[in-house]
Structures are given as structure tokens and as C-alpha cells.
Amino acid sequence: MPVAVRSIETAVPSTVLEQGRVRDLFGSQPGLTRLGQRINGAAFDASAIETRHTVIAELAAVDPANGQATDLAVDPAAEPASGTEPPTFYDASSGRILTPGTGARNDVYIERSVPLLLDAARRALAAASDLTAADVTHVVTVSCTGFSAPGPDYRIVRDLGLSPATKRYHVGFMGCYGAFPALGMARDFCRADPSSVVLIVCIELCTLHLRSSSDPDAIVASSVFADGAAAAIVTSRPAPPGVVTLDIDALETTLTPVGVGEADMAWTIGDQGFDMVLSSYVPHIVEHHIDDALAPVFATEPALAVTSRAEAIEHWAIHPGGRSILDRVQQRVDLSDEQLAPSRDVLRRYGNMSSGTVLFVLREILHGPDVGAGERVCAVAFGPGLTVETGLFTLRGAPVAGAPALVGASATPRAEVPTDPEEAR
């Protein structure tokens, strides 16, 4: 019995940051060097991002030029800070981005990650119409932007009313490829026990660690990273007729050669948040090693070598770590604009949400208008190391291309969760 992804659902904070205004906010910070200002403008303008989401409500109504109320973040539901508590991330009176310590940032993670991860999990369960919370046997959570114990796995079991005997696992601090180890664990659980139902939830609040700096790596991070959650149901139980699912055919992992990329992408804990190293050489490294990285997963099906990879696989879910990465992969693998459209669309609307981002892209494919039964999907994500995770999937239950299809219960719109936990209750 094949193991399949039965549903994928996502959630984002309700505070929406417009890229141009975020660029101006970071570019106006005191202490930024002239070179830093130029890099800031270039990085934001070349990002191919229009909007991102954040749990930082202080950014919901701030003019970077004068600190007055405006629509820096287009969020009609958000309330401006009341002024009863000192600001944590942004001081509107001075127009400065603040530098809270790691503990303060992690406190916000603990508080504001919960509504997002629970919403995504509930929606994934609802989309798998024949399954309920009582069917879930395993929970796998993924995050690299905060820590707590009990953690997100515990909150899912308690708040969703899962059995206290549910087996819980957490994939921590692996970065943008973290969804792949979670999918691999879920597949293995279902192979060992075909009655298993695994709930995967990725939750990342990357914007908690953004800061003003003239350092190029910090500027690039500020220009691309965002907040979001994604959840998936994985099982080998048969799906109802007409429901589009993704068979997990193969999952592989590889590293770039020794000495290549290890120092160019890293994620460490500092005194003022987590420190991202994301050098300008990463797109170059990805371009020159993507063929070798794809080789193991394609080797699982020699028949795919008959034609080019772009022709053999109809749909591609490339982790949108940045515009340059997508450009280099598209050129190297010879993918069409249509094949890269889901990845570019997620990047444009949501930015890079670390581990859950590739699930956002897979959801776009599942809900696309032209999915057909038997069509293939290749997913790829990159992370510290430099690590490359790959997966091959087959669409099942889909009608012929262009005909209507169900994905889970329905093709529901993506949820936006209030930034304030009180609003979410």
C-alpha cells in the first residue's frame, strides 16, 4: 500500500509587510553605513517578493520616515500598540528597530507560534475529510526559530484533543529543508504500520530574528525571511474517491562536497536572536551541484533517465530560498516558467518561511487547475551544510488535466491568523 500525503494546509500571521516599505524601514536605521544602505536597497529590490507575513504587530502601522501611523503593514484587523507596554521590536517614537535579547525573542515565539501551528493542523485534518483527530497516531513538528518544552508537539496533542498515547517527535534546528526529514519519518511510520496517520506541522517565526545591520548576510535575511505554518496528513489508508493525493515515491538527502557550502549557509544562536549566515555564493553553489543532488532520487527510477528531467517530471516544487536560487535551478535543470510558477508565486506572496515553505509550494501544485492523475512531482529544498533534500511524488485521484478535482475536503483559501494571541481565541 503506497504512503501518501492526503492533505496540505497552511496558515500565516495576519500582519502583512509590504516589501518596499520594509526596505525603507531597514534602510532608514541609524548606524547603517553607506555600503549597507546600497546593499539593503539592492537586496530588497532584487528579492522578487511583494509581501511577507510577521507576528510582530508593532510593525502593523508604522511609517519608517516619521514613526506615524500608516499602512506599512496592510492589516485591517491589527490593532496598533496601546502604549501601555514598552515596545520590543520597533520604537515608533524614534523610528528605530530595537535589539531585544534572544530570551525576549523566544518568549514571543512561545506565545505566538501556537495559534498558527494549531490553525494549520486543524485545517489539514479538516481537509482529510474521512479522518478525525482520533485517527492521528503520530505527530511530527518542525521548527528552527524557537524552543520550548513542552513544545509544539505537546500543544498539538493537548489542544486538538489527540490521544495522550499519540507518539510525538520534533525535528529541530535543521533549517529550510526540515519538512523532508519529517516526511521521511512519516513514510517510515506508515510503512511499519499501514494503519498509521501522521500529522506533520512546520512552524517558523523567522522575523523574530531580523535586525538592523550593515552585514550583507543580515541584510539578505531581512529581505527574504517571513513567518508561516504548514501542516500535512500522511497515511497509507485509502483516500475517498476523487480526492487528490501525493504518493511518496522516494526521498533522498545529500551534501555538497567537503569544503563546499558549509560556511556559506548556517544558523546559530546569538545573544540578540539567531544569527543567519547566507552568503551571496549560495545560488552559485546550488547551480553547480543541483545535478549531482538530483541524481540519487532519480536513480530510484531508472526509467526517468529516458528523457531530460524537466520533461520526465511535470511539476516542480523548488524551495524558494530566494530569487537567485530559483533562477539558477531553472536554468540548470532547464525548467519552464510554468514549472517554476508555484515556487515563484509563493516567494512573491509569502517570502521564505524556512521549513514549511516547500509545503506551501506543494499545496499550490495540489490545488492547481491542471493536475492530472499519474503526473509526477519533484520537490527540492536546501539548508545548512549545504544540505539538499529531494523527493519524488505521484499525483493520485486527480482527473484528467483541466477537469475539477477535490484536494482533501475542499480547495479552501489560505488562513490568516491574528497576530495577537488574544484575538485568536
Side-chain angles (χ1 to χ4, degrees):
M1 183 72 68
V3 179
V5 178
R6 287 283 298 277
S7 67
I8 301 175
E9 292 297 333
T10 60
V12 291
S14 58
T15 300
V16 184
L17 300 175
E18 293 183 347
Q19 188 75 337
R21 298 202 173 179
V22 180
R23 173 202 61 207
D24 295 343
L25 174 62
F26 277 87
S28 67
Q29 294 305 297
L32 199 65
T33 66
R34 290 185 178 181
L35 177 59
Q37 289 176 336
R38 292 197 296 271
I39 295 174
N40 181 83
F44 276 84
D45 290 343
S47 67
I49 296 171
E50 294 180 3
T51 53
R52 291 180 283 165
H53 292 250
T54 179
V55 297
I56 303 175
E58 294 164 4
L59 296 176
V62 178
D63 186 333
N66 55 31
Q68 301 301 309
T70 183
D71 60 346
L72 171 64
V74 183
D75 182 14
E79 294 290 334
S82 64
T84 58
E85 296 182 0
T88 302
F89 293 93
Y90 181 81
D91 182 4
S93 63
S94 65
R96 292 192 177 189
I97 296 172
L98 304 178
T99 55
T102 302
R105 296 175 193 260
N106 196 63
D107 287 343
V108 178
Y109 171 90
I110 294 170
E111 177 187 36
R112 299 185 184 176
S113 62
V114 175
L116 278 176
L117 67 91
L118 292 179
D119 187 77
R122 288 189 179 104
R123 291 169 65 82
L125 275 170
S129 58
D130 61 316
L131 301 174
T132 68
D135 293 303
V136 175
T137 58
H138 301 72
V139 169
V140 182
T141 54
V142 184
S143 189
C144 67
T145 50
F147 295 95
S148 66
D153 54 306
Y154 172 88
R155 293 303 302 264
I156 289 171
V157 169
R158 287 300 193 196
D159 293 5
L160 268 60
L162 306 187
S163 166
T166 302
K167 296 178 175 61
R168 297 179 285 123
Y169 304 87
H170 183 69
V171 177
F173 222 68
M174 299 194 80
C176 296
Y177 65 85
F180 281 85
L183 285 169
M185 293 170 67
R187 177 198 59 186
D188 292 345
F189 295 150
C190 294
R191 284 177 173 174
D193 181 357
S195 68
S196 296
V197 175
V198 185
L199 171 60
I200 297 171
V201 183
C202 300
I203 173 68
E204 304 290 9
L205 304 185
C206 304
T207 66
L208 297 182
H209 303 287
L210 304 185
R211 70 202 71 178
S212 174
S213 174
S214 294
D215 176 71
D217 290 343
I219 292 172
V220 170
S222 297
S223 72
V224 300
F225 282 105
D227 302 344
I233 299 292
V234 177
T235 185
S236 60
R237 297 187 187 184
V243 173
V244 181
T245 63
L246 275 176
D247 282 0
I248 303 175
D249 300 320
L251 298 170
E252 296 291 338
T253 185
T254 190
L255 299 172
T256 52
V258 175
V260 177
E262 184 174 349
D264 294 286
M265 186 184 293
W267 188 230
T268 59
I269 299 175
D271 293 333
Q272 296 177 341
F274 297 173
D275 297 325
M276 166 57 74
V277 175
L278 189 63
S279 83
S280 60
Y281 293 103
V282 169
H284 174 82
I285 295 169
V286 169
E287 178 184 17
H288 284 270
H289 295 279
I290 187 65
D291 288 336
D292 291 339
L294 288 170
V297 77
F298 275 82
T300 63
E301 296 189 36
L304 293 176
V306 174
T307 63
S308 71
R309 289 167 177 167
E311 293 177 347
I313 305 296
E314 290 88 353
H315 307 280
W316 290 75
I318 307 299
H319 167 68
R323 180 193 58 78
S324 294
I325 289 176
L326 294 181
D327 290 347
R328 299 296 182 96
V329 172
Q330 180 173 12
Q331 180 179 3
R332 189 73 175 187
V333 187
D334 197 25
L335 301 178
S336 69
D337 290 343
E338 290 75 17
Q339 287 172 311
L340 257 290
S343 295
R344 292 195 187 275
D345 188 53
V346 168
L347 180 65
R348 177 179 60 83
R349 292 188 290 156
Y350 301 102
N352 181 349
M353 298 162 288
S354 191
S355 64
T357 316
V358 73
L359 293 181
F360 274 68
V361 180
L362 285 170
R363 184 186 185 277
E364 293 289 314
I365 294 171
L366 280 171
H367 288 269
D370 298 320
V371 293
E375 291 181 345
R376 307 302 299 277
V377 180
C378 181
V380 185
F382 318 93
L386 200 146
T387 302
V388 185
E389 296 273 347
T390 54
L392 283 178
F393 307 83
T394 301
L395 286 157
R396 300 294 184 193
V400 294
L406 295 175
V407 182
S410 63
T412 51
R414 182 168 286 110
E416 291 190 4
V417 178
T419 300
D420 186 346
E422 293 299 323
E423 286 186 71
R425 293 193 176 101

